[in-house]
Amino acid sequence: MSKVFLSEEEIVKEWLENHGIEFSEHLSYKILLDTYVFKDIIPNEFFFFFSDKLIFLSICSNGLTTIPGSIGNLSELKTLYINDNEIEYLPESIGSLSSLTEFECTTNKLTGLPNSFGDLSSLEIFYINDNEFKEFPST
């Protein structure tokens, strides 16, 4: 059996094609990947590839235990739904999502929020019920 090595861009383009998503450099994307599309982990390449193109992302019910720090690269992301996973913490880089206006992270295992969460100055809608919170950032 031979191994085929693909670049990060080729991996993501192949993944998109397998999920019926046509990629264009000139479009913004709304992606709904609910119910075990990723199966526990999201590849870092996904966030780098869509860094300035993704405006809506729903990754609910995927059994995710963590969100990669590379999520902070999604500079145009306005809406993020990560409900019904097993997420225990959010990366500090989440505070870099300066365009984020709506965030839902219900029914996970969060015990707190990163200090950078206070940097989300555009955030208008925020749902975090059904978690295991013990503390919140002071900002």
Side-chain angles (χ1 to χ4, degrees):
M1 184 162 119
S2 62
K3 291 185 179 180
V4 176
F5 294 96
L6 301 173
S7 71
E8 292 176 357
E9 185 172 324
E10 290 170 323
I11 291 169
V12 175
K13 283 185 178 179
E14 180 180 316
W15 184 89
L16 290 171
E17 184 178 295
N18 290 339
H19 287 84
I21 302 169
E22 186 176 331
F23 179 77
S24 170
E25 296 283 335
H26 308 290
L27 294 177
S28 293
Y29 287 86
K30 293 182 178 182
I31 297 183
L32 176 67
L33 301 170
D34 292 345
T35 315
Y36 291 101
V37 172
F38 284 114
K39 298 182 179 119
D40 303 328
I41 191 162
I42 302 170
N44 271 320
E45 296 85 5
F46 181 84
F47 296 113
F48 288 117
F49 191 75
F50 284 106
S51 62
D52 61 348
K53 296 169 182 54
L54 194 61
I55 58 172
F56 175 97
L57 178 61
S58 179
I59 46 178
C60 301
S61 303
N62 274 281
L64 300 172
T65 56
T66 187
I67 299 293
S70 55
I71 194 168
N73 293 319
L74 300 177
S75 60
E76 299 301 317
L77 190 66
K78 295 183 184 320
T79 304
L80 176 60
Y81 298 151
I82 55 175
N83 305 316
D84 301 312
N85 284 290
E86 303 291 321
I87 299 167
E88 296 177 7
Y89 68 92
L90 297 172
E92 282 292 329
S93 63
I94 201 135
S96 299
L97 300 175
S98 58
S99 298
L100 195 66
T101 59
E102 185 173 354
F103 177 67
E104 291 187 14
C105 186
T106 63
T107 317
N108 279 285
K109 295 183 177 182
L110 294 176
T111 58
L113 294 171
N115 289 329
S116 66
F117 205 81
D119 297 337
L120 297 174
S121 59
S122 297
L123 193 61
E124 298 172 2
I125 300 170
F126 175 45
Y127 296 106
I128 55 167
N129 53 301
D130 290 328
N131 278 284
E132 300 171 6
F133 286 105
K134 296 177 180 153
E135 63 183 345
F136 290 94
S138 58
T139 57

